């Protein structure tokens, strides 16, 4: 949406003193990128020399309150409406719900929805994809637990069981934590009341809705259409799968003596109600920086012959480096809470492992077969996975060509060694070939990857060109050509 939009200035309709779209970036950044538009409520001031968020004399990030992503979305649609453009809003849901087994023996298809009212359409889609509990059960749970909605998900809820964190079961209502559609309605984009008229071509039955719940008519009988899969995305799991995530941190704190839950709520929960709305993403500017990095990466891929390698390296390395104040000379940690959210998504996946394994940080704990690893284990392991690739960090396979190390290796070989090792594109074993050649006396490629203490080359790999350091100015950076080029 924002790729072709240039930085501009505008005010939020309900706050004329607040600047919604105002942005400047270092000269190396492309002038048109969606990072020029607010992606979070608290927008950071960016240092044009370093490209990093600025701090005040107290060490706090300098931020300006904006309309956030909801303001950006609504402003763009309102601007289009104001040009007298007739809009029909269409959502093709073939991919998201294509595997839902709601068709009885006739195969499954997703739906295509259309409406002149974007608010109603989005609400229908949100409710349909974030509901896996039948309405009769949902209303009973809603009444028993005093929940604000009957559009519920049955979700895994981690809980302590002896020395382990195990998967329990609970309910969540992620739709209640978003006020985007209420805000859009208040801006005149549409209304949240709707009804469905349509046709299910697989079941050969009319599509209808009752009090917002999607279903079809099987004769005189209403049959709900439910998305049984628990859909989630790692970057937003903290907000979208909150019952799962917060209970995971709570259980981990109880077992290991950590304080992740308190630190997380202290950093993000602005009104202190113990619930994180989709707009409570902190005041450090992570989302804005992430979108900026994506924009810079896109520019590199287009303008630089080896831009894909550099962009991949920088996105991964920066996400790690700026999550820990000890890992960068500027003392930033604006990626810290985002890494915790990703850790919860990773831990959920690990709980589905078919076999149990010992936790690397707390050996009394095990994970797999419904048990969860410690947060500390996940965070530590994810560093190694990002630097070398998950298989290599576990000692089970080759170093990934698209890990931090792999990108640096490829760049050094292609630019300083005539692609002597990477000439055969797609060879997954090429780093192993290089490692073996060096062990037999071949010269080292001219690069060094500096990693934090404790994250040197995985055991058994004999991986060259890796150096552990405690120098925050070097950590997770790569030096090429006798340090004449630094990533």
């Amino acid at each position: 949406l924002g790729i072709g939009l240039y930085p501009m200035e505008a005010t939020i309709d309900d706050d004329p003193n607040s600047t919604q779209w105002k942005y400047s970036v270092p000269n190396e950044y492309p002038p048109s990128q969606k990072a020029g538009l607010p992606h979070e409520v608290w927008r950071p001031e960016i240092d044009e020399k370093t490209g990093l968020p600025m701090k005040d004399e107290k060490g706090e990030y300098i931020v300006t309150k904006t309309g956030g992503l909801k303001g950006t979305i609504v402003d763009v649609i309102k601007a289009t409406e104001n040009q007298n453009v007739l809009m029909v809003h269409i959502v093709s849901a073939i991919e998201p719900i294509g595997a839902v087994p709601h068709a009885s023996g006739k195969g499954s298809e997703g739906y295509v929805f259309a409406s002149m009212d974007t608010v109603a359409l989005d609400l229908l889609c949100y409710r349909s994809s974030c509901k896996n509990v039948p309405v009769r059960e949902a209303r009973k749970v809603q009444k028993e637990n005093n929940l604000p909605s009957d559009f519920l998900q049955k979700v895994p809820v981690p809980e302590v069981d002896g020395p382990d964190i195990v998967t329990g079961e609970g309910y969540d209502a992620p739709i209640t934590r978003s006020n985007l559609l209420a805000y859009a309605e208040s801006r005149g984009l549409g209304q949240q009341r709707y009804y469905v008229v349509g046709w299910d071509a697989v079941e050969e039955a009319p599509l209808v809705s009752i009090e917002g719940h999607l279903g079809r008519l099987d004769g005189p009988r209403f049959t709900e259409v439910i998305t049984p899969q628990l859909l989630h995305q790692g970057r937003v799991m903290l907000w979208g799968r909150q019952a799962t995530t917060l209970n995971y941190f709570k259980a981990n704190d109880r077992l290991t003596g950590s304080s992740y839950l308190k630190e997380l709520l202290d950093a993000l929960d602005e009104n202190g109600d113990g619930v994180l709305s989709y707009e409570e993403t902190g005041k450090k500017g992570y989302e804005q920086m992430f979108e900026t990095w994506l924009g810079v990466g896109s520019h590199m891929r287009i303008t630089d012959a080896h831009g894909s390698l550099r962009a991949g390296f920088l996105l991964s390395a920066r996400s790690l480096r700026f999550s820990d104040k000890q890992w960068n000379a500027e003392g930033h940690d604006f990626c810290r809470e985002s890494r915790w959210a990703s850790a919860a998504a990773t831990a959920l996946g690990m709980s589905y492992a078919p076999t149990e394994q010992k936790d690397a940080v707390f050996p009394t704990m095990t994970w797999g077969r419904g048990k969860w690893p410690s947060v500390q284990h996940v965070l530590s392991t994810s560093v190694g996975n990002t630097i070398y690739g998950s298989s290599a960090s576990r000692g089970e396979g080759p170093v990934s060509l698209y890990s931090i190390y792999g990108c640096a290796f490829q760049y050094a070989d292609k630019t300083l060694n005539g692609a002597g090792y990477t000439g055969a594109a797609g060879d997954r074993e090429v780093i192993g070939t290089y490692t073996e050649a060096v062990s037999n006396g071949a010269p080292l490629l001219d690069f060094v990857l500096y990693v934090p203490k404790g994250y040197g080359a995985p055991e058994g790999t004999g991986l060259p060109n890796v150096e552990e350091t405690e120098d925050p100015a070097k950590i997770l950076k790569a030096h090429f050509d006798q340090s004449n080029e630094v990533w």
Side-chain angles (χ1 to χ4, degrees):
L1 177 64
I3 295 300
L5 299 177
Y6 283 76
M8 60 189 76
E9 292 190 15
T11 58
I12 305 172
D13 286 8
D14 55 0
D15 185 359
N17 296 316
S18 179
T19 300
Q20 167 73 349
W21 296 355
K22 183 179 181 182
Y23 198 61
S24 59
V25 292
N27 293 331
E28 67 175 282
Y29 289 14
S32 59
Q33 53 178 306
K34 66 179 183 179
L37 306 176
H39 281 71
E40 55 192 329
V41 172
W42 295 101
R43 182 187 188 81
E45 293 292 325
I46 308 296
D47 188 319
E48 295 190 11
K49 294 181 180 179
T50 65
L52 295 173
M54 297 173 64
K55 297 181 181 181
D56 60 21
E57 61 278 1
K58 297 180 180 179
E60 301 292 332
Y61 287 98
I62 301 173
V63 292
T64 301
K65 190 171 186 179
T66 73
L69 188 57
K70 73 177 184 184
T72 297
I73 291 171
V74 174
D75 281 356
V76 169
I77 298 174
K78 289 291 290 185
T80 307
E81 276 190 349
N82 290 340
Q83 297 177 67
N84 296 317
V85 174
L86 176 65
M87 288 186 284
V88 178
H89 306 278
I90 303 172
V91 175
S92 173
I94 299 295
E95 288 299 321
I97 65 172
V100 175
H102 65 264
S104 55
K106 299 182 182 179
S108 296
E109 296 290 342
Y111 294 123
V112 176
F113 299 111
S115 177
M116 303 293 285
D117 188 319
T118 184
V119 175
L121 180 64
D122 278 0
L123 183 56
L124 166 67
C125 292
Y126 193 3
R127 285 173 168 176
S128 299
S129 61
C130 291
K131 164 189 166 172
N132 63 10
V133 180
V135 65
R136 184 171 296 179
E137 177 185 349
R139 287 178 175 171
K140 180 182 177 183
V141 171
Q142 180 187 20
K143 184 176 181 180
E144 292 173 350
N145 296 275
N146 195 29
L147 298 176
S149 173
D150 61 1
F151 290 88
L152 301 180
Q153 285 187 324
K154 192 171 290 185
V155 298
V157 176
E159 55 190 32
V160 173
D161 181 18
D164 295 310
I165 300 174
V166 301
T167 301
E169 193 175 80
Y171 296 89
D172 198 4
I175 196 169
T176 63
R177 294 189 287 274
S178 172
N179 65 352
L180 167 61
L181 296 177
Y183 173 73
E185 184 177 30
S186 74
R187 292 279 301 275
L189 286 190
Q191 62 177 344
Q192 296 182 78
R193 294 185 64 187
Y194 63 83
Y195 62 91
V196 173
V197 175
W199 182 256
D200 186 323
V202 175
E203 290 294 324
E204 298 182 351
L207 282 175
V208 296
S209 61
I210 294 179
E211 296 181 358
H213 293 268
L214 178 66
R216 61 178 182 271
L217 288 179
D218 296 322
R221 180 178 162 208
F222 175 77
T223 301
E224 287 182 81
V225 173
I226 293 178
T227 303
Q229 293 94 337
L230 182 63
L231 306 175
H232 71 272
Q233 203 276 339
R235 280 187 62 213
V236 296
M237 185 165 168
L238 178 58
W239 296 270
R241 300 293 167 265
Q242 200 157 125
T244 300
T245 305
L246 296 189
N247 277 285
Y248 172 49
F249 291 138
K250 180 179 179 180
N252 189 87
D253 291 347
R254 179 178 164 188
L255 272 183
T256 70
S258 58
S259 56
Y260 288 106
L261 181 58
K262 182 181 184 304
E263 290 183 48
L264 192 69
L265 294 177
D266 285 348
L268 304 181
D269 186 12
E270 294 182 28
N271 60 10
D273 64 353
V275 176
L276 301 179
S277 74
Y278 280 98
E279 294 198 322
E280 291 180 306
T281 58
K283 298 183 179 181
K284 296 180 180 179
Y286 166 75
E287 284 294 332
Q288 211 70 38
M289 293 308 306
F290 186 81
E291 294 296 338
T292 298
W293 293 339
L294 289 179
V296 172
S298 297
H299 185 65
M300 288 178 180
R301 290 181 174 92
I302 296 171
T303 60
D304 184 342
H306 303 293
S308 292
L309 297 175
R310 188 180 178 203
F313 177 98
L314 291 176
L315 182 61
S316 296
R318 285 169 170 169
S319 295
L320 286 183
R321 187 186 312 139
F322 296 120
S323 69
D324 191 320
K325 292 181 179 181
Q326 306 301 316
W327 288 359
N328 60 91
E330 299 82 3
H332 286 294
D333 66 348
F334 55 84
C335 296
R336 180 178 174 85
E337 289 77 27
S338 173
R339 282 200 66 218
W340 292 357
S342 297
T346 300
L348 174 61
M350 293 172 71
S351 74
Y352 294 129
T355 58
E356 292 186 22
Q357 300 185 49
K358 292 288 185 183
D359 189 276
V361 180
F362 299 95
T364 58
M365 296 176 63
T366 56
W367 57 270
R369 300 186 65 184
K371 297 180 180 179
W372 295 56
S374 68
V375 178
Q376 295 88 329
H377 169 97
V378 177
L379 290 175
S380 176
T381 301
S382 71
V383 175
N385 291 350
T386 305
I387 296 174
Y388 305 108
S390 57
S391 296
S393 68
R394 295 194 303 264
E396 298 174 354
V399 176
S400 169
L401 281 171
Y402 298 98
S403 62
I404 289 177
Y405 179 91
C407 289
F409 163 81
Q410 287 192 73
Y411 183 76
D413 183 56
K414 294 177 186 298
T415 60
L416 302 171
N417 190 47
Y421 293 100
T422 58
D427 182 359
R428 294 181 67 247
E429 303 292 339
V430 65
I431 294 178
T433 301
Y434 167 65
T435 299
E436 183 178 356
V438 169
S439 68
N440 291 328
L444 289 168
L445 292 177
D446 190 0
F447 82 99
V448 178
L449 174 64
Y450 293 96
V451 300
K453 283 288 186 181
Y455 293 100
E459 187 175 351
T461 62
L463 202 61
N465 304 89
V466 177
E467 185 175 321
E468 293 189 5
T469 182
E470 293 181 334
D471 183 349
K474 288 185 175 180
I475 289 176
L476 293 165
K477 290 186 177 181
H479 289 225
F480 304 91
D481 189 22
Q482 300 297 304
S483 295
N484 286 315
E485 182 176 359
V486 178
W487 284 4

